[in-house]
Amino acid sequence: MAETQEHKVIFDSNILPELKEIAHKVFSGKRISFEDGVTLYKHGSLGFVGSLADHVRKQKNGDYVFFNHNFHVEPTNVCVYSCSFCSYSRLIKNREQGWELSVDQILDIIKKYDDQPVTEVHITGGVVPKQDLAFYSELFKRIKQHRPSLHIKALTPVEFHYIFKKAKLTYEEGLKVFKDAGLDSLPGGGAEIFDKDIRDQIAGGKCTSEEWLELHEIWHKMGHHSNATMLYGHIETFEHRVDHMNRLRELQDRTNGFNAFIPLKFRNKENQMSHVPEVSIIEDLRNYAISRIYLDNFMHIKAYWAMIGRSTAQLALNFGADDLDGTIDDTTKIYSMAGSEEQNPKLTTQELVDLIKGVGRVAVERDTLYNIVKTH
Ligand code: V47
Ligand code: SF4
């Protein structure tokens, strides 16, 4: 099967020798280099990278496409930082334009799901002084007291770095406090793009790339899991994207603690980078495909439908993605405020299953750690 596909990809088309070489590597299960990654971005057509990515996707996940039952809680959209791509946050001086929830208010949201089969709550938002170590410790404990089986996937190195510094704790000490309070895993946010120059321009002041990676590494070495994202399609170059994935691939080689990689398309509505045009859907699909090929030690590539829209997410399943995230239930504002097609992101199980079956795959409900809950 692989040979037939390889033959078709390499010999039926008039492609560059470097691309043929990359195809040979991918079909024989060899890792591609940094330079190969850049070559794919610069010269790989959508059809070419798509064939390679589909091969890798099939090898890793067969016909399974994963989703979960989840909802988000965004404790605040007020933030001490002002990342220029962010449409969602409000500065502390304008805090009356935003929201800052108390632990009780968040518990009320959690309780709304008492009769629903959700397995995960995803908690992240802005960074404010009063949502500190004590705030999140109490929150995690009370969620677990109320519903012990609900998986808490919460906070990113951006929040951790700020909170632990304020509490005068090392990353290890802080993560242990949160783990003991009930934190189960980390979402992939705050990674943006690791290149220092670009990061300084779009996300200056918040945790550095090294700090982001170190925090995930410590968490993995404590025996736990997390995700990784990449914000793409703004002012970064193809080299920056490959550099970003390369740093993740190196960390994953050391820990194997990442569950999924989630490319996040820059959306330009009402932020300081509104003058930067958004990339095309073709570029989105090429990016999914190249990440699938490059990140050979990541099991899952997630097409986050709330950000990219359900149609493109469905297309991405043919370009390397094997996960669609979850039902969400209209509980995140990060992307709707940035101009996503999905203004009220919410899908029923049946709608997700239909999206997946629509491309001839098997829909698999998973928990956060990819244990199978139900095969549809
Ligand atoms: O770090 C913010 C991004 C991230 C914009 O781990 C934007 O399962 C595009 O990390 N255009 C937070 N992106 C969301 C996130 C996430 C989402 C879904 C699943 C998981 C997971 C993690 O959202 C931020 C930032 O990179 N973001 N504003 C924007 N205008
Ligand atoms: Fe704050 Fe996160 Fe928005 Fe940056 S992306 S301004 S850290 S909420």
Side-chain angles (χ1 to χ4, degrees):
M1 174 66 188
E3 270 173 18
T4 320
Q5 204 181 346
E6 176 175 10
H7 182 266
K8 195 167 164 7
V9 170
I10 299 174
F11 300 109
D12 288 1
S13 51
N14 193 10
I15 56 170
L16 291 174
E18 300 94 293
L19 290 176
K20 285 189 182 177
E21 188 55 38
I22 294 172
H24 275 302
K25 283 189 191 171
V26 173
F27 286 116
S28 55
K30 291 202 188 99
R31 174 166 279 192
I32 67 165
S33 66
F34 178 93
E35 291 72 27
D36 293 337
V38 175
T39 301
L40 285 177
Y41 272 117
K42 287 193 172 157
H43 304 292
S45 67
L46 178 61
F48 178 79
V49 297
S51 301
L52 267 51
D54 207 46
H55 170 78
V56 179
R57 193 262 316 151
K58 238 181 260 162
Q59 295 267 307
K60 290 201 183 294
N61 293 297
D63 277 342
Y64 282 3
V65 174
F66 298 92
F67 70 95
N68 72 349
H69 275 132
N70 65 347
F71 64 104
H72 290 232
V73 172
E74 295 170 352
T76 182
N77 71 336
V78 180
C79 193
V80 297
Y81 303 115
S82 58
C83 302
S84 42
F85 56 83
C86 185
S87 317
Y88 155 93
S89 64
R90 297 292 174 265
L91 289 170
I92 293 211
K93 65 175 187 207
N94 300 326
R95 65 187 341 152
E96 71 293 342
Q97 297 169 8
W99 66 85
E100 283 175 79
L101 303 180
S102 65
V103 171
D104 284 336
Q105 285 172 316
I106 297 176
L107 257 292
D108 288 343
I109 299 174
I110 305 276
K111 286 176 189 165
K112 283 206 257 169
Y113 291 88
D114 278 358
D115 59 350
Q116 294 190 37
V118 291
T119 56
E120 173 193 285
V121 56
H122 178 155
I123 306 175
T124 193
V127 180
V128 285
K130 75 175 178 208
Q131 293 182 352
D132 58 5
L133 193 82
F135 175 93
Y136 279 111
S137 299
E138 185 194 341
L139 176 65
F140 298 155
K141 279 185 195 149
R142 288 188 52 195
I143 294 174
K144 286 293 180 185
Q145 274 161 10
H146 180 73
R147 191 165 175 177
S149 64
L150 189 64
H151 182 109
I152 304 178
K153 182 175 84 174
L155 308 186
T156 73
V158 178
E159 289 120 323
F160 292 131
H161 177 77
Y162 181 89
I163 292 170
F164 299 162
K165 197 167 165 206
K166 194 158 166 271
K168 298 192 171 48
L169 294 180
T170 64
Y171 290 169
E172 284 88 344
E173 290 164 344
L175 286 172
K176 179 149 188 345
V177 171
F178 280 158
K179 178 65 207 164
D180 292 345
L183 179 67
D184 291 301
S185 69
L186 314 186
E192 321 314 356
I193 203 88
F194 291 145
D195 177 81
K196 187 175 178 338
D197 280 352
I198 303 292
R199 191 177 184 84
D200 285 349
Q201 287 180 60
I202 67 169
K206 69 186 193 185
C207 76
T208 64
S209 306
E210 289 71 25
E211 288 161 348
W212 191 99
L213 291 159
E214 186 189 348
L215 246 143
H216 280 261
E217 181 153 11
I218 293 169
W219 179 250
H220 295 170
K221 288 183 172 162
M222 287 165 69
H224 312 303
H225 289 85
S226 66
N227 289 335
T229 58
M230 173 174 76
L231 179 70
Y232 70 94
H234 40 91
I235 56 168
E236 87 290 1
T237 64
F238 291 146
E239 283 82 358
H240 295 141
R241 291 192 207 171
V242 183
D243 167 63
H244 188 94
M245 292 193 286
N246 200 51
R247 297 196 210 191
L248 292 173
R249 194 169 76 172
E250 285 175 359
L251 173 50
Q252 181 76 329
D253 276 343
R254 293 198 294 279
T255 63
N256 201 27
F258 287 118
N259 285 326
F261 177 69
I262 308 143
L264 294 174
K265 176 196 182 110
F266 164 67
R267 310 300 313 235
N268 69 2
K269 190 175 153 204
E270 285 170 26
N271 55 46
Q272 298 165 58
M273 288 168 74
S274 290
H275 57 284
V276 177
E278 292 180 2
V279 296
S280 66
I281 290 176
I282 301 291
E283 190 52 25
D284 294 328
L285 297 176
R286 266 174 23 96
N287 191 66
Y288 280 110
I290 297 169
S291 60
R292 177 60 291 172
I293 298 163
Y294 200 82
L295 293 171
D296 58 353
N297 53 4
F298 276 63
M299 265 308 271
H300 304 288
I301 303 290
K302 188 189 279 190
Y304 183 44
W305 67 267
M307 176 267 293
I308 202 148
R310 58 194 81 181
S311 309
T312 309
Q314 194 184 29
L315 267 176
L317 299 177
N318 288 316
F319 292 87
D322 65 281
D323 190 295
L324 287 181
D325 198 75
T327 42
I328 303 179
D329 199 33
D330 194 13
T331 47
T332 175
K333 294 278 162 271
I334 298 179
Y335 289 99
S336 48
M337 288 170 83
S340 161
E341 290 77 2
E342 303 287 346
Q343 283 303 298
N344 300 97
K346 183 179 183 142
L347 282 176
T348 62
T349 307
Q350 196 52 49
E351 285 168 330
L352 268 165
V353 170
D354 289 346
L355 282 182
I356 295 166
K357 286 193 173 163
V359 291
R361 300 273 168 70
V362 180
V364 179
E365 187 193 337
R366 59 163 175 87
D367 66 13
T368 310
L369 303 178
Y370 288 85
N371 299 303
I372 294 179
V373 176
K374 184 174 175 187
T375 305
H376 291 262

